[in-house]
Amino acid sequence: ITANGKQVEARVPCSIEEFLMAQNLLPRSVVVEHNGEAVAPSEFAQRLLNAGDRLEIVKIVAGG
């Protein structure tokens, strides 16, 4: 898997949710783009990742 431009080892197929948890990221605290398509957080558990997939992951930061 390529995540934010870096190769990351992952057991595939796996869900986006499983991938995020393996990277110590809370699914509710990120926005994810999978192969160029924005993914709704409600789809993280169902959307499967395969070898060669690309993810862009952005952490949501609260503040004022």
Side-chain angles (χ1 to χ4, degrees):
I1 304 289
T2 302
N4 295 345
K6 297 178 184 171
Q7 285 296 116
V8 178
E9 290 292 320
R11 287 187 172 182
V12 291
C14 71
S15 69
I16 291 176
E17 183 176 72
E18 291 168 329
F19 179 83
L20 293 172
M21 299 292 271
Q23 303 304 311
N24 295 316
L25 294 169
L26 293 174
R28 291 184 305 267
S29 69
V30 295
V31 175
V32 176
E33 187 177 271
H34 177 221
N35 293 332
E37 179 185 348
V39 181
S42 61
E43 294 181 39
F44 288 176
Q46 291 84 28
R47 180 76 70 103
L48 293 181
L49 301 176
N50 294 293
D53 282 1
R54 293 176 293 108
L55 292 177
E56 291 296 326
I57 303 168
V58 179
K59 288 185 183 178
I60 299 170
V61 179

